[in-house]
Amino acid sequence: EPEVTQTPSHQVTQMGQEVILRCVPISNHLYFYWYRQILGQKVEFLVSFYNNEISEKSEIFDDQFSVERPDGSNFTLKIRSTKLEDSAMYFCASSLGGSSYNEQFFGPGTRLTVL
Amino acid sequence: DQQVKQNSPSLSVQEGRISILNCDYTNSMFDYFLWYKKYPAEGPTFLISISSIKDKNEDGRFTVFLNKSAKHLSLHIVPSQPGDSAVYFCAASADLGTYKYIFGTGTRLKVLA
């Protein structure tokens, strides 16, 4: 069964450093997403991406964040200068279509720890 | 921004009995609702969904009920099995050209053998 994969599973970084979280969405999916979950809190939407551009972003997704689909398979989230409060689980998701009725499939997540 | 609420952080149920997980929402524009299950160290896994034009959707042991007037949905699992022990998230979306899901805070279900 096709699945979304994410690397690394755990990333530890120093405050102020740049990190890149990587995702390989399901191959025939066209819409890609990043969510995050701070420990003990709910899963929060960060950004959606379609046709090589951002479709929607939340207020969390400020100028420190960027996304890219550098080739036909990878989808990346870059945090330019990490802050302590960026520590969270980051989930990539993909869906075949962009409407409500297309379920989003989630990867296993990358745990980001900012020291 | 508490548009989707799951007021019970945890629930314990005996194996074989029914588990009922509840979710309330405030945004009347939501037209699609989903339940995801999450095990530790894994991503959310899609479980079942329901469109706002329906009031019930069933898939095996899982049934989701939607009460639009009360802005309430529930997930029934019957019979409950120990493998169902996980965190269950309710999510909602509005088909207004937005693609995001709004998640609740989750309910940790423990099914006791």
Side-chain angles (χ1 to χ4, degrees), chain B residues 34-48:
Chain B
L34 310 95
W35 284 94
Y36 280 83
K37 179 168 73 172
K38 186 179 180 303
Y39 293 118
E42 294 184 13
T45 302
F46 169 73
L47 196 56
I48 192 168

Side-chain angles (χ1 to χ4, degrees), chain A residues 24-50:
Chain A
V24 179
I26 294 173
S27 62
N28 64 335
H29 284 186
L30 301 176
Y31 292 80
F32 314 113
Y33 314 83
W34 284 101
Y35 291 80
R36 77 172 186 190
Q37 184 183 26
I38 295 172
L39 187 64
Q41 298 185 24
K42 62 181 179 179
V43 176
E44 300 175 288
F45 170 79
L46 292 178
V47 65
S48 59
F49 190 86
Y50 168 71

Side-chain angles (χ1 to χ4, degrees), chain A:
Chain A
E1 186 176 322
E3 58 182 17
V4 177
T5 58
Q6 290 185 243
T7 54
S9 57
H10 191 186
Q11 175 86 50
V12 181
T13 189
Q14 294 290 328
M15 190 170 56
Q17 296 295 304
E18 175 183 287
V19 293
I20 298 176
L21 309 183
R22 291 182 167 79
C23 168
V24 179
I26 294 173
S27 62
N28 64 335
H29 284 186
L30 301 176
Y31 292 80
F32 314 113
Y33 314 83
W34 284 101
Y35 291 80
R36 77 172 186 190
Q37 184 183 26
I38 295 172
L39 187 64
Q41 298 185 24
K42 62 181 179 179
V43 176
E44 300 175 288
F45 170 79
L46 292 178
V47 65
S48 59
F49 190 86
Y50 168 71
N51 199 26
N52 279 318
E53 60 182 34
I54 290 174
S55 308
E56 183 177 5
K57 59 184 180 180
S58 71
E59 62 275 8
I60 302 169
F61 194 89
D62 61 23
D63 292 343
Q64 294 300 314
F65 291 88
S66 62
V67 289
E68 193 178 34
R69 189 156 163 82
D71 52 43
S73 59
N74 289 282
F75 179 50
T76 63
L77 174 69
K78 181 193 289 186
I79 309 175
R80 189 165 28 245
S81 176
T82 50
K83 304 189 282 281
L84 295 176
E85 54 265 37
D86 294 327
S87 295
M89 281 291 287
Y90 287 80
F91 295 106
C92 173
S94 68
S95 66
L96 188 57
S99 75
S100 296
Y101 305 92
N102 288 275
E103 287 83 16
Q104 297 175 19
F105 293 85
F106 285 75
T110 292
R111 178 174 299 282
L112 176 65
T113 302
V114 181
L115 302 175

Side-chain angles (χ1 to χ4, degrees), chain B:
Chain B
D1 180 7
Q2 290 286 310
Q3 296 187 68
V4 179
K5 299 181 194 177
Q6 292 176 256
N7 290 320
S8 298
S10 63
L11 175 68
S12 291
V13 171
Q14 284 295 131
E15 181 179 6
R17 307 294 285 266
I18 185 170
S19 296
I20 300 176
L21 296 97
N22 294 302
C23 178
D24 297 295
Y25 62 95
T26 57
N27 189 340
S28 57
M29 300 304 293
F30 287 146
D31 64 350
Y32 198 61
F33 304 89
L34 310 95
W35 284 94
Y36 280 83
K37 179 168 73 172
K38 186 179 180 303
Y39 293 118
E42 294 184 13
T45 302
F46 169 73
L47 196 56
I48 192 168
S49 61
I50 188 166
S51 159
S52 61
I53 62 173
K54 294 186 174 182
D55 55 20
K56 177 182 173 181
N57 189 27
E58 194 170 351
D59 183 3
R61 296 186 297 115
F62 303 92
T63 303
V64 55
F65 295 92
L66 176 63
N67 182 335
K68 281 186 295 182
S69 61
K71 293 192 176 69
H72 177 84
L73 64 153
S74 61
L75 174 68
H76 292 208
I77 307 172
V78 56
S80 302
Q81 299 172 354
D84 296 328
S85 297
V87 178
Y88 288 78
F89 291 97
C90 168
S93 69
D95 198 11
L96 299 172
T98 178
Y99 308 95
K100 63 185 180 186
Y101 288 169
I102 305 295
F103 282 86
T105 49
T107 296
R108 182 177 302 278
L109 173 66
K110 188 170 184 179
V111 180
L112 306 169

